[in-house]
Amino acid sequence: MKKLLYLVYVIPCSVIAQVGVNTSTPQEELHIAGNTSTARVEGLSAANNTANLGAGNSTRVFVNANGDLVLGAATNNVEILFNPYNYLNDAQDTGGSDANVITQTGVGSGYTIAGWPRQIGAGLSTFTLTKSAIVEINYSLSWELEKNASSAPDDENARVIQTYMYLLKMPLTSHDPTFATGLVTTDLDGVPLTIGRALGLNGQFHTNAASDGAAKLFHNTGTDYVKLPAGRYCPMFAAQVAVGNTGGAGACKMYIGTGQDEVQVIAHYYN
């Protein structure tokens, strides 16, 4: 009798599989199909992870060196860098580096740099970025009009009041705007800013009546975003006041920063 011996060879091999959810033809190792599909990792929920910012918030998810998904802290996402009280000097000043006067023009022929920080120091006149960020700026800038150095305008003419913030580049050894090293004229990617440096450009109309010219403090507000590299910066302002009809206007001037001024700078980190 002959006996036949069969030898079976087992060849090791790797099985490469793609898993599809809501699809029978996955295009990646894990493919979740559907226009409204979602994914949940319970270990990242507010109930299970103290780094989760909780209800009403979105917490940024990062990938660590091992490829694990982890939650970032609040400082990984957004940080308030600058929020001083009453940012600019209040007094009317017509001369020197701290002048805050704007002379009225007939056609709005240009912006005048004006105003000076009320206090000098970290968080008072400058903010520092330790890494690149999308920077959000918000301001509320006070201003008042004066005719012939004594009274409010009463010519019944409408004026356009325009303001913007610009940023000075500062050395890391100083917080005094006097020692600025230049202007921020482009963002981190080299894209030019409006008017060469303007952030939060905004304006409004001011009107008055001949019988009771407005003699009150007003505010312009502005918001903007700019992508900036690491460095130290000082927020400053420029403004213009224009009137179409100069007849009866007299020597009209505007002073900025004579009331309560608010400047807030927020960093939105993306790396």
Side-chain angles (χ1 to χ4, degrees):
M1 177 183 291
K2 293 182 179 180
K3 293 183 178 180
L4 299 178
L5 179 64
Y6 293 92
L7 298 178
V8 178
Y9 292 90
V10 179
I11 302 175
C13 65
S14 297
V15 178
I16 301 176
Q18 292 176 314
V19 177
V21 179
N22 297 330
T23 177
S24 58
T25 57
Q27 304 300 307
E28 298 291 344
E29 292 182 29
L30 175 61
H31 182 173
I32 303 175
N35 294 337
T36 59
S37 61
T38 59
R40 174 175 295 183
V41 181
E42 291 192 353
L44 301 183
S45 69
N48 298 319
N49 196 310
T50 56
N52 191 297
L53 297 179
N57 297 281
S58 294
T59 308
R60 187 171 291 183
V61 177
F62 295 89
V63 179
N64 67 14
N66 298 322
D68 300 328
L69 299 180
V70 296
L71 295 181
T75 53
N76 295 131
N77 298 272
V78 179
E79 182 180 9
I80 297 177
L81 297 177
F82 194 72
N83 192 24
Y85 168 75
N86 191 17
Y87 181 56
L88 296 179
N89 278 339
D90 293 340
Q92 293 183 358
D93 195 325
T94 59
S97 61
D98 55 354
N100 65 345
V101 62
I102 310 292
T103 301
Q104 173 183 272
T105 62
V107 293
S109 58
Y111 291 86
T112 301
I113 293 171
W116 196 257
R118 190 171 59 88
Q119 295 177 287
I120 301 298
L124 299 173
S125 57
T126 65
F127 64 91
T128 302
L129 274 177
T130 58
K131 58 182 180 180
S132 300
I134 297 172
V135 173
E136 174 187 348
I137 65 102
N138 301 289
Y139 72 81
S140 176
L141 180 65
S142 63
W143 54 269
E144 61 179 317
L145 290 172
E146 186 179 78
K147 175 185 175 182
N148 299 332
S150 61
S151 61
D154 57 0
D155 53 16
E156 300 185 359
N157 290 325
R159 289 168 172 80
V160 179
I161 312 296
Q162 292 179 293
T163 58
Y164 68 78
M165 178 193 291
Y166 67 94
L167 297 176
L168 293 175
K169 299 176 183 177
M170 298 294 297
L172 294 179
T173 55
S174 176
H175 300 281
D176 189 337
T178 304
F179 301 105
T181 59
L183 294 170
V184 174
T185 58
T186 64
D187 69 8
L188 179 62
D189 299 322
V191 178
L193 303 184
T194 304
I195 316 179
R197 61 186 171 190
L199 294 169
L201 177 62
N202 204 355
Q204 62 176 298
F205 289 102
H206 172 277
T207 58
N208 63 80
S211 59
D212 56 347
K216 299 179 181 179
L217 282 172
F218 300 87
H219 286 79
N220 273 21
T221 60
T223 297
D224 214 336
Y225 294 85
V226 60
K227 194 176 181 182
L228 294 177
R232 179 171 292 171
Y233 302 90
C234 175
M236 299 292 278
F237 288 95
Q240 71 172 352
V241 51
V243 61
N245 180 7
T246 58
C252 190
K253 300 181 184 298
M254 178 176 74
Y255 293 91
I256 69 168
T258 52
Q260 299 294 314
D261 308 293
E262 301 297 331
V263 176
Q264 186 182 71
V265 177
I266 303 172
H268 299 263
Y269 299 112
Y270 55 88
N271 59 22

